[in-house]
Amino acid sequence: RRSSDLSPRRRPPRPQKPTRVAPVLAGDQLTPADSARLGRAIRIAEEASGFAFSVFLTTAADDSRAYALRLHGSLDEPDRSVLVLCDPGERVLEIVTGRAARRALTDRVCALAAATMRSSFVAGDVVGGLENGLAQLGVAGRQPPTLHSHTGDE
């Protein structure tokens, strides 16, 4: 490089394949601490509910719902999975539930979790919003323990 060209070059961001916790947040790097926070929130929601949770922070396609459905269908256990797709730059949030998860996580429950997330997004806290929404979904998906069971021995 020439000495007159010492300023850092800005390259356009490369599209990245989404992962459970994608490394891009509205054009900025997701910090390791933010990634750890989301990973912890996913684990807590999974332990509370018994469902598999995935969070995709990525640039959504034109039809974000169809894109979220495709991503959900590619998960290991889509019937027992919950996918949260968030594109902060385009203000897109999609929650997709599998067949088994849908029994506990109704549209109303998901809408309440989405409202919780969006309230944090408005304040500029995307990671905190996702954490709060995942916690809400995890608790709502919790299956109550069976206290009495008929064994037929009576």
Side-chain angles (χ1 to χ4, degrees):
R1 291 172 45 174
R2 294 182 300 220
S3 61
S4 64
D5 193 18
L6 291 178
S7 63
R9 294 181 189 168
R10 297 211 97 189
R11 293 183 182 150
R14 290 190 323 225
Q16 297 182 5
K17 181 179 178 186
T19 58
R20 276 186 83 171
V21 178
V24 176
L25 179 60
D28 297 326
Q29 288 297 327
L30 189 62
T31 66
D34 289 341
S35 185
R37 285 173 60 193
L38 287 176
R40 182 173 177 269
I42 288 170
R43 280 192 309 281
I44 291 170
E46 288 177 338
E47 289 170 6
S49 67
F51 300 124
F53 282 78
S54 295
V55 174
F56 290 85
L57 281 168
T58 187
T59 302
D62 288 337
D63 185 354
S64 61
R65 185 67 182 170
Y67 181 55
L69 289 168
R70 278 196 313 275
L71 288 173
H72 184 264
S74 70
L75 297 174
D76 289 339
E77 289 186 88
D79 283 346
R80 299 200 43 78
S81 295
V82 179
L83 178 135
V84 178
L85 175 109
C86 179
D87 180 350
E90 295 297 318
R91 298 179 181 221
V92 170
L93 178 64
E94 297 284 348
I95 300 174
V96 181
T97 56
R99 186 175 300 140
R102 195 172 303 121
R103 288 187 202 114
L105 301 174
T106 63
D107 287 346
R108 183 180 179 108
V109 167
C110 291
L112 289 171
T116 297
M117 289 185 237
R118 285 191 175 109
S119 67
S120 293
F121 297 168
V122 168
D125 187 8
V126 174
V127 174
L130 290 168
E131 277 182 307
N132 293 334
L134 288 169
Q136 195 169 347
L137 291 169
V139 169
R142 182 175 297 162
Q143 302 300 312
T146 303
L147 299 177
H148 302 284
S149 146
H150 180 68
T151 60
D153 296 335
E154 298 172 11

mmCIF file of all heavy atoms in Angstrom, residues 75-124:
data_model
loop_
_atom_site.group_PDB
_atom_site.id
_atom_site.type_symbol
_atom_site.label_atom_id
_atom_site.label_comp_id
_atom_site.label_asym_id
_atom_site.label_seq_id
_atom_site.Cartn_x
_atom_site.Cartn_y
_atom_site.Cartn_z
ATOM 1 N N LEU A 75 -33.773 -27.241 10.269
ATOM 2 C CA LEU A 75 -33.266 -27.584 11.597
ATOM 3 C C LEU A 75 -33.354 -29.087 11.834
ATOM 4 O O LEU A 75 -34.105 -29.792 11.169
ATOM 5 C CB LEU A 75 -34.061 -26.841 12.673
ATOM 6 C CG LEU A 75 -33.964 -25.316 12.633
ATOM 7 C CD1 LEU A 75 -34.916 -24.695 13.656
ATOM 8 C CD2 LEU A 75 -32.541 -24.850 12.880
ATOM 9 N N ASP A 76 -32.582 -29.572 12.815
ATOM 10 C CA ASP A 76 -32.533 -31.013 13.088
ATOM 11 C C ASP A 76 -33.886 -31.594 13.466
ATOM 12 O O ASP A 76 -34.261 -32.646 12.983
ATOM 13 C CB ASP A 76 -31.525 -31.314 14.205
ATOM 14 C CG ASP A 76 -30.092 -31.113 13.748
ATOM 15 O OD1 ASP A 76 -29.841 -31.128 12.529
ATOM 16 O OD2 ASP A 76 -29.220 -30.936 14.625
ATOM 17 N N GLU A 77 -34.616 -30.934 14.347
ATOM 18 C CA GLU A 77 -35.930 -31.408 14.789
ATOM 19 C C GLU A 77 -36.949 -30.291 14.626
ATOM 20 O O GLU A 77 -37.362 -29.678 15.610
ATOM 21 C CB GLU A 77 -35.891 -31.818 16.259
ATOM 22 C CG GLU A 77 -35.140 -33.079 16.559
ATOM 23 C CD GLU A 77 -35.306 -33.439 18.019
ATOM 24 O OE1 GLU A 77 -36.303 -34.138 18.345
ATOM 25 O OE2 GLU A 77 -34.477 -33.008 18.823
ATOM 26 N N PRO A 78 -37.400 -30.016 13.411
ATOM 27 C CA PRO A 78 -38.292 -28.874 13.224
ATOM 28 C C PRO A 78 -39.596 -28.969 14.012
ATOM 29 O O PRO A 78 -40.121 -27.948 14.449
ATOM 30 C CB PRO A 78 -38.556 -28.841 11.719
ATOM 31 C CG PRO A 78 -38.017 -30.091 11.166
ATOM 32 C CD PRO A 78 -37.096 -30.689 12.159
ATOM 33 N N ASP A 79 -40.116 -30.166 14.256
ATOM 34 C CA ASP A 79 -41.371 -30.287 15.008
ATOM 35 C C ASP A 79 -41.232 -29.821 16.450
ATOM 36 O O ASP A 79 -42.183 -29.320 17.033
ATOM 37 C CB ASP A 79 -41.880 -31.730 14.999
ATOM 38 C CG ASP A 79 -42.532 -32.107 13.683
ATOM 39 O OD1 ASP A 79 -42.827 -31.196 12.892
ATOM 40 O OD2 ASP A 79 -42.732 -33.310 13.457
ATOM 41 N N ARG A 80 -40.050 -29.996 17.028
ATOM 42 C CA ARG A 80 -39.822 -29.611 18.423
ATOM 43 C C ARG A 80 -38.946 -28.365 18.524
ATOM 44 O O ARG A 80 -38.306 -28.134 19.541
ATOM 45 C CB ARG A 80 -39.159 -30.767 19.180
ATOM 46 C CG ARG A 80 -40.019 -32.020 19.199
ATOM 47 C CD ARG A 80 -39.648 -32.968 20.297
ATOM 48 N NE ARG A 80 -39.389 -32.383 21.589
ATOM 49 C CZ ARG A 80 -40.324 -31.967 22.449
ATOM 50 N NH1 ARG A 80 -41.595 -32.028 22.128
ATOM 51 N NH2 ARG A 80 -39.986 -31.468 23.624
ATOM 52 N N SER A 81 -38.925 -27.557 17.473
ATOM 53 C CA SER A 81 -38.036 -26.395 17.427
ATOM 54 C C SER A 81 -38.799 -25.081 17.375
ATOM 55 O O SER A 81 -39.917 -25.013 16.870
ATOM 56 C CB SER A 81 -37.128 -26.475 16.200
ATOM 57 O OG SER A 81 -36.254 -27.571 16.295
ATOM 58 N N VAL A 82 -38.129 -24.056 17.886
ATOM 59 C CA VAL A 82 -38.609 -22.687 17.812
ATOM 60 C C VAL A 82 -37.495 -21.866 17.191
ATOM 61 O O VAL A 82 -36.357 -21.912 17.659
ATOM 62 C CB VAL A 82 -38.946 -22.126 19.212
ATOM 63 C CG1 VAL A 82 -39.428 -20.690 19.114
ATOM 64 C CG2 VAL A 82 -39.970 -23.001 19.907
ATOM 65 N N LEU A 83 -37.816 -21.142 16.133
ATOM 66 C CA LEU A 83 -36.828 -20.313 15.449
ATOM 67 C C LEU A 83 -37.223 -18.856 15.588
ATOM 68 O O LEU A 83 -38.384 -18.497 15.381
ATOM 69 C CB LEU A 83 -36.754 -20.693 13.964
ATOM 70 C CG LEU A 83 -35.790 -19.864 13.139
ATOM 71 C CD1 LEU A 83 -34.964 -20.753 12.234
ATOM 72 C CD2 LEU A 83 -36.515 -18.811 12.328
ATOM 73 N N VAL A 84 -36.257 -18.028 15.965
ATOM 74 C CA VAL A 84 -36.453 -16.589 16.027
ATOM 75 C C VAL A 84 -35.510 -15.975 15.002
ATOM 76 O O VAL A 84 -34.298 -16.129 15.105
ATOM 77 C CB VAL A 84 -36.167 -16.031 17.438
ATOM 78 C CG1 VAL A 84 -36.326 -14.515 17.451
ATOM 79 C CG2 VAL A 84 -37.069 -16.682 18.475
ATOM 80 N N LEU A 85 -36.075 -15.317 14.013
ATOM 81 C CA LEU A 85 -35.291 -14.636 12.980
ATOM 82 C C LEU A 85 -35.401 -13.138 13.230
ATOM 83 O O LEU A 85 -36.506 -12.611 13.358
ATOM 84 C CB LEU A 85 -35.811 -14.962 11.579
ATOM 85 C CG LEU A 85 -35.111 -14.177 10.480
ATOM 86 C CD1 LEU A 85 -34.222 -15.091 9.669
ATOM 87 C CD2 LEU A 85 -36.109 -13.498 9.589
ATOM 88 N N CYS A 86 -34.259 -12.477 13.310
ATOM 89 C CA CYS A 86 -34.238 -11.038 13.571
ATOM 90 C C CYS A 86 -33.309 -10.367 12.579
ATOM 91 O O CYS A 86 -32.140 -10.752 12.449
ATOM 92 C CB CYS A 86 -33.770 -10.780 14.998
ATOM 93 S SG CYS A 86 -33.682 -9.029 15.415
ATOM 94 N N ASP A 87 -33.837 -9.396 11.856
ATOM 95 C CA ASP A 87 -33.050 -8.543 10.975
ATOM 96 C C ASP A 87 -33.221 -7.119 11.490
ATOM 97 O O ASP A 87 -34.173 -6.426 11.115
ATOM 98 C CB ASP A 87 -33.534 -8.672 9.532
ATOM 99 C CG ASP A 87 -32.746 -7.800 8.562
ATOM 100 O OD1 ASP A 87 -31.944 -6.949 9.014
ATOM 101 O OD2 ASP A 87 -32.933 -7.956 7.342
ATOM 102 N N PRO A 88 -32.330 -6.681 12.396
ATOM 103 C CA PRO A 88 -32.499 -5.363 12.999
ATOM 104 C C PRO A 88 -32.468 -4.227 11.984
ATOM 105 O O PRO A 88 -33.183 -3.237 12.145
ATOM 106 C CB PRO A 88 -31.324 -5.244 13.966
ATOM 107 C CG PRO A 88 -30.817 -6.618 14.151
ATOM 108 C CD PRO A 88 -31.173 -7.377 12.918
ATOM 109 N N GLY A 89 -31.678 -4.364 10.936
ATOM 110 C CA GLY A 89 -31.574 -3.305 9.935
ATOM 111 C C GLY A 89 -32.878 -3.061 9.207
ATOM 112 O O GLY A 89 -33.221 -1.929 8.870
ATOM 113 N N GLU A 90 -33.623 -4.106 8.953
ATOM 114 C CA GLU A 90 -34.900 -4.002 8.250
ATOM 115 C C GLU A 90 -36.090 -4.041 9.203
ATOM 116 O O GLU A 90 -37.237 -4.063 8.760
ATOM 117 C CB GLU A 90 -35.029 -5.139 7.223
ATOM 118 C CG GLU A 90 -34.019 -5.058 6.096
ATOM 119 C CD GLU A 90 -34.201 -3.808 5.255
ATOM 120 O OE1 GLU A 90 -35.357 -3.440 4.956
ATOM 121 O OE2 GLU A 90 -33.180 -3.200 4.894
ATOM 122 N N ARG A 91 -35.803 -4.119 10.503
ATOM 123 C CA ARG A 91 -36.850 -4.188 11.529
ATOM 124 C C ARG A 91 -37.797 -5.367 11.313
ATOM 125 O O ARG A 91 -39.019 -5.222 11.343
ATOM 126 C CB ARG A 91 -37.617 -2.883 11.613
ATOM 127 C CG ARG A 91 -36.727 -1.739 12.009
ATOM 128 C CD ARG A 91 -37.465 -0.451 12.073
ATOM 129 N NE ARG A 91 -36.532 0.597 12.446
ATOM 130 C CZ ARG A 91 -36.818 1.561 13.289
ATOM 131 N NH1 ARG A 91 -37.997 1.619 13.847
ATOM 132 N NH2 ARG A 91 -35.933 2.472 13.571
ATOM 133 N N VAL A 92 -37.197 -6.516 11.069
ATOM 134 C CA VAL A 92 -37.952 -7.737 10.818
ATOM 135 C C VAL A 92 -37.758 -8.680 11.999
ATOM 136 O O VAL A 92 -36.642 -8.875 12.477
ATOM 137 C CB VAL A 92 -37.472 -8.420 9.517
ATOM 138 C CG1 VAL A 92 -38.074 -9.803 9.364
ATOM 139 C CG2 VAL A 92 -37.804 -7.558 8.316
ATOM 140 N N LEU A 93 -38.856 -9.249 12.466
ATOM 141 C CA LEU A 93 -38.827 -10.253 13.520
ATOM 142 C C LEU A 93 -39.833 -11.331 13.159
ATOM 143 O O LEU A 93 -41.004 -11.036 12.921
ATOM 144 C CB LEU A 93 -39.182 -9.629 14.874
ATOM 145 C CG LEU A 93 -39.228 -10.577 16.065
ATOM 146 C CD1 LEU A 93 -37.846 -11.166 16.351
ATOM 147 C CD2 LEU A 93 -39.761 -9.859 17.289
ATOM 148 N N GLU A 94 -39.378 -12.558 13.089
ATOM 149 C CA GLU A 94 -40.247 -13.698 12.794
ATOM 150 C C GLU A 94 -40.015 -14.771 13.848
ATOM 151 O O GLU A 94 -38.877 -15.054 14.209
ATOM 152 C CB GLU A 94 -39.939 -14.297 11.411
ATOM 153 C CG GLU A 94 -40.169 -13.378 10.239
ATOM 154 C CD GLU A 94 -41.626 -13.191 9.880
ATOM 155 O OE1 GLU A 94 -42.464 -13.951 10.402
ATOM 156 O OE2 GLU A 94 -41.915 -12.294 9.086
ATOM 157 N N ILE A 95 -41.091 -15.362 14.340
ATOM 158 C CA ILE A 95 -41.006 -16.497 15.256
ATOM 159 C C ILE A 95 -41.738 -17.657 14.598
ATOM 160 O O ILE A 95 -42.910 -17.533 14.245
ATOM 161 C CB ILE A 95 -41.639 -16.172 16.619
ATOM 162 C CG1 ILE A 95 -40.920 -14.991 17.278
ATOM 163 C CG2 ILE A 95 -41.604 -17.411 17.530
ATOM 164 C CD1 ILE A 95 -41.574 -14.508 18.558
ATOM 165 N N VAL A 96 -41.027 -18.772 14.424
ATOM 166 C CA VAL A 96 -41.605 -19.958 13.788
ATOM 167 C C VAL A 96 -41.540 -21.101 14.793
ATOM 168 O O VAL A 96 -40.488 -21.373 15.364
ATOM 169 C CB VAL A 96 -40.842 -20.352 12.497
ATOM 170 C CG1 VAL A 96 -41.478 -21.573 11.851
ATOM 171 C CG2 VAL A 96 -40.795 -19.188 11.517
ATOM 172 N N THR A 97 -42.669 -21.751 15.009
ATOM 173 C CA THR A 97 -42.733 -22.877 15.937
ATOM 174 C C THR A 97 -43.064 -24.155 15.180
ATOM 175 O O THR A 97 -43.828 -24.138 14.221
ATOM 176 C CB THR A 97 -43.802 -22.646 17.021
ATOM 177 O OG1 THR A 97 -45.054 -22.403 16.387
ATOM 178 C CG2 THR A 97 -43.449 -21.473 17.912
ATOM 179 N N GLY A 98 -42.480 -25.250 15.636
ATOM 180 C CA GLY A 98 -42.805 -26.550 15.072
ATOM 181 C C GLY A 98 -44.121 -27.067 15.611
ATOM 182 O O GLY A 98 -44.734 -26.468 16.501
ATOM 183 N N ARG A 99 -44.556 -28.191 15.090
ATOM 184 C CA ARG A 99 -45.864 -28.754 15.444
ATOM 185 C C ARG A 99 -45.994 -28.996 16.946
ATOM 186 O O ARG A 99 -46.976 -28.593 17.564
ATOM 187 C CB ARG A 99 -46.078 -30.060 14.671
ATOM 188 C CG ARG A 99 -47.465 -30.645 14.858
ATOM 189 C CD ARG A 99 -47.693 -31.867 13.996
ATOM 190 N NE ARG A 99 -47.526 -31.479 12.598
ATOM 191 C CZ ARG A 99 -46.914 -32.224 11.672
ATOM 192 N NH1 ARG A 99 -46.429 -33.392 11.992
ATOM 193 N NH2 ARG A 99 -46.809 -31.811 10.438
ATOM 194 N N ALA A 100 -45.008 -29.636 17.558
ATOM 195 C CA ALA A 100 -45.093 -29.933 18.999
ATOM 196 C C ALA A 100 -44.965 -28.654 19.825
ATOM 197 O O ALA A 100 -45.680 -28.479 20.815
ATOM 198 C CB ALA A 100 -44.000 -30.923 19.394
ATOM 199 N N ALA A 101 -44.094 -27.753 19.414
ATOM 200 C CA ALA A 101 -43.896 -26.500 20.152
ATOM 201 C C ALA A 101 -45.138 -25.612 20.072
ATOM 202 O O ALA A 101 -45.447 -24.886 21.019
ATOM 203 C CB ALA A 101 -42.680 -25.760 19.601
ATOM 204 N N ARG A 102 -45.855 -25.686 18.967
ATOM 205 C CA ARG A 102 -47.036 -24.840 18.759
ATOM 206 C C ARG A 102 -48.141 -25.128 19.767
ATOM 207 O O ARG A 102 -48.949 -24.268 20.081
ATOM 208 C CB ARG A 102 -47.548 -25.016 17.338
ATOM 209 C CG ARG A 102 -48.531 -23.939 16.902
ATOM 210 C CD ARG A 102 -48.869 -24.017 15.427
ATOM 211 N NE ARG A 102 -47.670 -23.939 14.602
ATOM 212 C CZ ARG A 102 -47.293 -24.894 13.739
ATOM 213 N NH1 ARG A 102 -48.037 -25.965 13.577
ATOM 214 N NH2 ARG A 102 -46.195 -24.762 13.035
ATOM 215 N N ARG A 103 -48.169 -26.348 20.311
ATOM 216 C CA ARG A 103 -49.191 -26.671 21.314
ATOM 217 C C ARG A 103 -49.037 -25.817 22.565
ATOM 218 O O ARG A 103 -50.015 -25.404 23.168
ATOM 219 C CB ARG A 103 -49.120 -28.149 21.676
ATOM 220 C CG ARG A 103 -49.618 -29.048 20.584
ATOM 221 C CD ARG A 103 -49.683 -30.499 21.035
ATOM 222 N NE ARG A 103 -49.647 -31.346 19.867
ATOM 223 C CZ ARG A 103 -48.667 -32.182 19.568
ATOM 224 N NH1 ARG A 103 -47.658 -32.347 20.386
ATOM 225 N NH2 ARG A 103 -48.703 -32.892 18.470
ATOM 226 N N ALA A 104 -47.793 -25.560 22.947
ATOM 227 C CA ALA A 104 -47.535 -24.750 24.147
ATOM 228 C C ALA A 104 -47.342 -23.278 23.806
ATOM 229 O O ALA A 104 -47.707 -22.404 24.584
ATOM 230 C CB ALA A 104 -46.297 -25.277 24.866
ATOM 231 N N LEU A 105 -46.748 -23.011 22.657
ATOM 232 C CA LEU A 105 -46.434 -21.635 22.262
ATOM 233 C C LEU A 105 -47.409 -21.191 21.182
ATOM 234 O O LEU A 105 -47.128 -21.255 19.990
ATOM 235 C CB LEU A 105 -44.988 -21.543 21.771
ATOM 236 C CG LEU A 105 -43.931 -21.957 22.792
ATOM 237 C CD1 LEU A 105 -42.545 -21.977 22.164
ATOM 238 C CD2 LEU A 105 -43.972 -21.049 24.001
ATOM 239 N N THR A 106 -48.564 -20.758 21.622
ATOM 240 C CA THR A 106 -49.617 -20.324 20.702
ATOM 241 C C THR A 106 -49.212 -19.019 20.007
ATOM 242 O O THR A 106 -48.229 -18.376 20.391
ATOM 243 C CB THR A 106 -50.924 -20.090 21.472
ATOM 244 O OG1 THR A 106 -50.704 -19.024 22.407
ATOM 245 C CG2 THR A 106 -51.369 -21.350 22.201
ATOM 246 N N ASP A 107 -49.998 -18.621 19.024
ATOM 247 C CA ASP A 107 -49.742 -17.353 18.332
ATOM 248 C C ASP A 107 -49.774 -16.190 19.320
ATOM 249 O O ASP A 107 -48.980 -15.254 19.221
ATOM 250 C CB ASP A 107 -50.767 -17.120 17.220
ATOM 251 C CG ASP A 107 -50.539 -18.023 16.024
ATOM 252 O OD1 ASP A 107 -49.454 -18.638 15.923
ATOM 253 O OD2 ASP A 107 -51.455 -18.104 15.174
ATOM 254 N N ARG A 108 -50.678 -16.257 20.268
ATOM 255 C CA ARG A 108 -50.792 -15.178 21.269
ATOM 256 C C ARG A 108 -49.529 -15.088 22.131
ATOM 257 O O ARG A 108 -49.013 -14.005 22.392
ATOM 258 C CB ARG A 108 -52.020 -15.409 22.133
ATOM 259 C CG ARG A 108 -52.259 -14.309 23.132
ATOM 260 C CD ARG A 108 -53.502 -14.622 23.964
ATOM 261 N NE ARG A 108 -53.718 -13.597 24.938
ATOM 262 C CZ ARG A 108 -54.687 -12.705 24.865
ATOM 263 N NH1 ARG A 108 -55.539 -12.739 23.884
ATOM 264 N NH2 ARG A 108 -54.810 -11.795 25.803
ATOM 265 N N VAL A 109 -49.017 -16.236 22.574
ATOM 266 C CA VAL A 109 -47.792 -16.265 23.385
ATOM 267 C C VAL A 109 -46.624 -15.707 22.577
ATOM 268 O O VAL A 109 -45.832 -14.904 23.084
ATOM 269 C CB VAL A 109 -47.502 -17.708 23.863
ATOM 270 C CG1 VAL A 109 -46.105 -17.829 24.432
ATOM 271 C CG2 VAL A 109 -48.539 -18.149 24.874
ATOM 272 N N CYS A 110 -46.530 -16.114 21.316
ATOM 273 C CA CYS A 110 -45.443 -15.633 20.460
ATOM 274 C C CYS A 110 -45.571 -14.130 20.196
ATOM 275 O O CYS A 110 -44.562 -13.411 20.157
ATOM 276 C CB CYS A 110 -45.406 -16.406 19.145
ATOM 277 S SG CYS A 110 -44.886 -18.125 19.362
ATOM 278 N N ALA A 111 -46.797 -13.642 20.032
ATOM 279 C CA ALA A 111 -47.008 -12.209 19.812
ATOM 280 C C ALA A 111 -46.589 -11.407 21.042
ATOM 281 O O ALA A 111 -45.996 -10.324 20.918
ATOM 282 C CB ALA A 111 -48.470 -11.932 19.473
ATOM 283 N N LEU A 112 -46.873 -11.933 22.231
ATOM 284 C CA LEU A 112 -46.446 -11.250 23.459
ATOM 285 C C LEU A 112 -44.922 -11.233 23.574
ATOM 286 O O LEU A 112 -44.326 -10.218 23.958
ATOM 287 C CB LEU A 112 -47.076 -11.915 24.685
ATOM 288 C CG LEU A 112 -48.574 -11.691 24.860
ATOM 289 C CD1 LEU A 112 -49.118 -12.581 25.980
ATOM 290 C CD2 LEU A 112 -48.864 -10.237 25.144
ATOM 291 N N ALA A 113 -44.278 -12.346 23.239
ATOM 292 C CA ALA A 113 -42.815 -12.393 23.269
ATOM 293 C C ALA A 113 -42.227 -11.432 22.235
ATOM 294 O O ALA A 113 -41.231 -10.749 22.504
ATOM 295 C CB ALA A 113 -42.328 -13.819 23.022
ATOM 296 N N ALA A 114 -42.853 -11.363 21.060
ATOM 297 C CA ALA A 114 -42.383 -10.436 20.022
ATOM 298 C C ALA A 114 -42.517 -8.989 20.487
ATOM 299 O O ALA A 114 -41.628 -8.161 20.247
ATOM 300 C CB ALA A 114 -43.171 -10.657 18.727
ATOM 301 N N ALA A 115 -43.616 -8.671 21.183
ATOM 302 C CA ALA A 115 -43.803 -7.316 21.707
ATOM 303 C C ALA A 115 -42.728 -6.993 22.745
ATOM 304 O O ALA A 115 -42.195 -5.878 22.770
ATOM 305 C CB ALA A 115 -45.198 -7.170 22.312
ATOM 306 N N THR A 116 -42.388 -7.964 23.566
ATOM 307 C CA THR A 116 -41.322 -7.782 24.548
ATOM 308 C C THR A 116 -40.003 -7.490 23.844
ATOM 309 O O THR A 116 -39.269 -6.568 24.221
ATOM 310 C CB THR A 116 -41.184 -9.048 25.422
ATOM 311 O OG1 THR A 116 -42.391 -9.231 26.156
ATOM 312 C CG2 THR A 116 -40.006 -8.956 26.369
ATOM 313 N N MET A 117 -39.700 -8.273 22.815
ATOM 314 C CA MET A 117 -38.453 -8.075 22.076
ATOM 315 C C MET A 117 -38.423 -6.707 21.410
ATOM 316 O O MET A 117 -37.431 -5.980 21.511
ATOM 317 C CB MET A 117 -38.286 -9.181 21.023
ATOM 318 C CG MET A 117 -37.987 -10.539 21.607
ATOM 319 S SD MET A 117 -37.669 -11.753 20.310
ATOM 320 C CE MET A 117 -38.896 -12.965 20.679
ATOM 321 N N ARG A 118 -39.514 -6.355 20.758
ATOM 322 C CA ARG A 118 -39.550 -5.080 20.024
ATOM 323 C C ARG A 118 -39.398 -3.883 20.948
ATOM 324 O O ARG A 118 -38.797 -2.878 20.571
ATOM 325 C CB ARG A 118 -40.836 -4.980 19.215
ATOM 326 C CG ARG A 118 -40.806 -5.856 17.981
ATOM 327 C CD ARG A 118 -41.976 -5.551 17.049
ATOM 328 N NE ARG A 118 -41.836 -6.322 15.833
ATOM 329 C CZ ARG A 118 -42.606 -7.346 15.513
ATOM 330 N NH1 ARG A 118 -43.599 -7.713 16.304
ATOM 331 N NH2 ARG A 118 -42.412 -8.008 14.382
ATOM 332 N N SER A 119 -39.915 -3.973 22.158
ATOM 333 C CA SER A 119 -39.781 -2.843 23.080
ATOM 334 C C SER A 119 -38.305 -2.600 23.421
ATOM 335 O O SER A 119 -37.883 -1.460 23.561
ATOM 336 C CB SER A 119 -40.613 -3.050 24.342
ATOM 337 O OG SER A 119 -40.113 -4.117 25.106
ATOM 338 N N SER A 120 -37.518 -3.655 23.516
ATOM 339 C CA SER A 120 -36.080 -3.494 23.737
ATOM 340 C C SER A 120 -35.371 -3.050 22.468
ATOM 341 O O SER A 120 -34.428 -2.266 22.523
ATOM 342 C CB SER A 120 -35.466 -4.798 24.235
ATOM 343 O OG SER A 120 -35.933 -5.114 25.525
ATOM 344 N N PHE A 121 -35.831 -3.553 21.324
ATOM 345 C CA PHE A 121 -35.204 -3.155 20.048
ATOM 346 C C PHE A 121 -35.316 -1.649 19.846
ATOM 347 O O PHE A 121 -34.374 -1.008 19.391
ATOM 348 C CB PHE A 121 -35.855 -3.869 18.865
ATOM 349 C CG PHE A 121 -35.716 -5.372 18.849
ATOM 350 C CD1 PHE A 121 -36.466 -6.129 17.970
ATOM 351 C CD2 PHE A 121 -34.860 -6.039 19.712
ATOM 352 C CE1 PHE A 121 -36.352 -7.514 17.927
ATOM 353 C CE2 PHE A 121 -34.744 -7.426 19.694
ATOM 354 C CZ PHE A 121 -35.490 -8.163 18.792
ATOM 355 N N VAL A 122 -36.479 -1.085 20.175
ATOM 356 C CA VAL A 122 -36.706 0.352 20.015
ATOM 357 C C VAL A 122 -35.697 1.140 20.849
ATOM 358 O O VAL A 122 -35.239 2.199 20.444
ATOM 359 C CB VAL A 122 -38.162 0.720 20.394
ATOM 360 C CG1 VAL A 122 -38.346 2.218 20.513
ATOM 361 C CG2 VAL A 122 -39.123 0.148 19.369
ATOM 362 N N ALA A 123 -35.344 0.609 22.008
ATOM 363 C CA ALA A 123 -34.379 1.273 22.887
ATOM 364 C C ALA A 123 -32.943 0.998 22.450
ATOM 365 O O ALA A 123 -32.007 1.457 23.099
ATOM 366 C CB ALA A 123 -34.591 0.811 24.320
ATOM 367 N N GLY A 124 -32.757 0.237 21.363
ATOM 368 C CA GLY A 124 -31.420 -0.042 20.845
ATOM 369 C C GLY A 124 -30.751 -1.266 21.437
ATOM 370 O O GLY A 124 -29.569 -1.499 21.215
#
